[in-house]
Amino acid sequence: MSLKSQIDLGRLPRHVAVIMDGNGRWAKQQGEERIFGHHNGVTSVRETAEAAAELGIQYLTLYAFSTENWNRPKDEVEALMELLVHTIHNETKTLNENNIRLEAIGDLSSLPKNCFNELQEAMQKTAANTRMKLVLALSYSSKWEIIQAVKKIASSVVAGSISIDDINDSTITAHLCTSGMPDPELMIRTSGERRISNFLLWQLSYAEFYFTPKLWPDFRKEDFYEAILNFQNRERRFGKISEQLTT
């Protein structure tokens, strides 16, 4: 019996987040430069997005480039940005064929102009698609996101449009990059690392974490199905006890 056939389609997570880790190490194992791993990671992005859409996942968020990644060697950053431009351009047609809408979160204004323009064009061309939202986290960090949210809320307080006493969980959620999206129920990280690296800190508060030793360029549909099955075999209590869930 295949892994896919074992998945209960009635108990899918609405939103899956993925930290795509291990491109550099994978390239090193092949005796190549780090960018070689990033190029091969594009296939994993395609397979993961297809697997998620085929199952019926509504939101798939991929951590593509963090604010801290700007501190990497200049040559690698420039090569990553060039790869991003070409990948978005080349994959837009496939996204439309699969009825997948492309969105992005992060400090997008910090992206190189050609990258920003290509991203905006792809998002416009796929805006009418309804099967799944593929969200790229670009020049993103959760601390940056929360700081921006706090600033916006503080401005509203100063303007008198909101009272300090009215600030609650919903207020903060509404001012995050992911406003309007359900929080991820499952977070997958490849390469064996067990940390969330400044990714969706607020949104992952009750997510299930799945860590796999697979390096990102080796991650395929079967690996995604395995993560979903692992998720479905967990008991999610949200602070309650098992007996309360049963009754």
Side-chain angles (χ1 to χ4, degrees):
M1 183 182 295
S2 68
L3 290 175
K4 186 179 182 181
S5 66
Q6 298 175 50
I7 294 173
D8 182 352
L9 298 181
R11 294 193 303 115
L12 291 171
R14 292 179 65 196
H15 188 172
V16 178
V18 183
I19 299 178
M20 308 178 292
D21 194 21
N23 288 335
R25 275 168 284 173
W26 185 89
K28 188 175 181 180
Q29 290 177 2
Q30 316 301 315
E32 301 284 351
E33 297 293 328
R34 291 176 56 85
I35 192 61
F36 181 72
H38 296 302
H39 275 279
N40 281 272
V42 172
T43 301
S44 302
V45 171
R46 188 182 302 116
E47 290 241 345
T48 301
E50 288 178 357
E54 288 167 5
L55 287 177
I57 304 295
Q58 297 177 31
Y59 296 83
L60 176 67
T61 298
L62 305 179
Y63 201 8
F65 193 85
S66 74
T67 54
E68 289 82 5
N69 288 155
W70 291 113
N71 297 318
R72 290 187 175 185
K74 183 180 178 181
D75 290 348
E76 181 177 350
V77 171
E78 290 178 348
L80 274 170
M81 290 298 110
E82 183 179 347
L83 174 62
L84 182 61
V85 169
H86 288 301
T87 300
I88 292 173
H89 178 78
N90 293 336
E91 295 297 324
T92 300
K93 181 181 178 182
T94 303
L95 291 174
N96 278 325
E97 289 174 347
N98 288 279
N99 196 22
I100 296 174
R101 177 174 178 171
L102 181 67
E103 295 189 356
I105 59 174
D107 184 11
L108 304 182
S109 63
S110 67
L111 296 173
K113 187 175 181 179
N114 63 332
C115 184
F116 178 83
N117 291 340
E118 193 69 52
L119 180 63
Q120 292 295 321
E121 183 177 348
M123 289 194 291
Q124 290 171 6
K125 287 182 177 179
T126 62
N129 296 339
T130 58
R131 187 182 187 187
M132 184 182 78
K133 290 185 179 180
L134 174 62
V135 185
L136 299 181
L138 290 165
S139 192
Y140 171 91
S141 83
S142 197
K143 287 186 176 181
W144 168 86
E145 175 186 36
I146 292 171
I147 289 170
Q148 300 308 307
V150 170
K151 287 180 178 179
K152 292 175 185 176
I153 295 169
S155 295
S156 296
V157 171
V158 171
S161 58
I162 186 174
S163 166
I164 290 178
D165 295 332
D166 293 332
I167 298 173
N168 54 29
D169 284 7
S170 297
T171 310
I172 296 173
T173 297
H175 286 82
L176 297 176
C177 295
T178 54
S179 176
M181 303 181 196
D183 287 341
E185 294 147 279
L186 172 64
M187 191 282 287
I188 301 169
R189 180 168 187 153
T190 57
S191 87
E193 301 290 353
R194 295 175 178 265
R195 54 180 179 269
I196 58 176
S197 299
N198 205 359
F199 182 47
L200 301 175
L201 299 178
W202 179 273
Q203 298 89 333
L204 291 177
S205 57
Y206 273 103
E208 299 295 325
F209 290 0
Y210 178 83
F211 300 105
T212 172
K214 282 279 185 79
L215 300 176
W216 180 246
D218 291 327
F219 195 83
R220 293 294 181 268
K221 288 185 178 182
E222 291 297 301
D223 300 299
F224 186 80
Y225 299 149
E226 187 173 341
I228 298 297
L229 283 170
N230 184 279
F231 168 84
Q232 293 188 338
N233 286 321
R234 299 189 189 187
E235 182 182 70
R236 308 187 72 217
R237 296 190 296 274
F238 301 98
K240 297 180 180 180
I241 63 174
S242 298
E243 288 75 9
Q244 288 177 292
L245 298 179
T246 304
T247 58

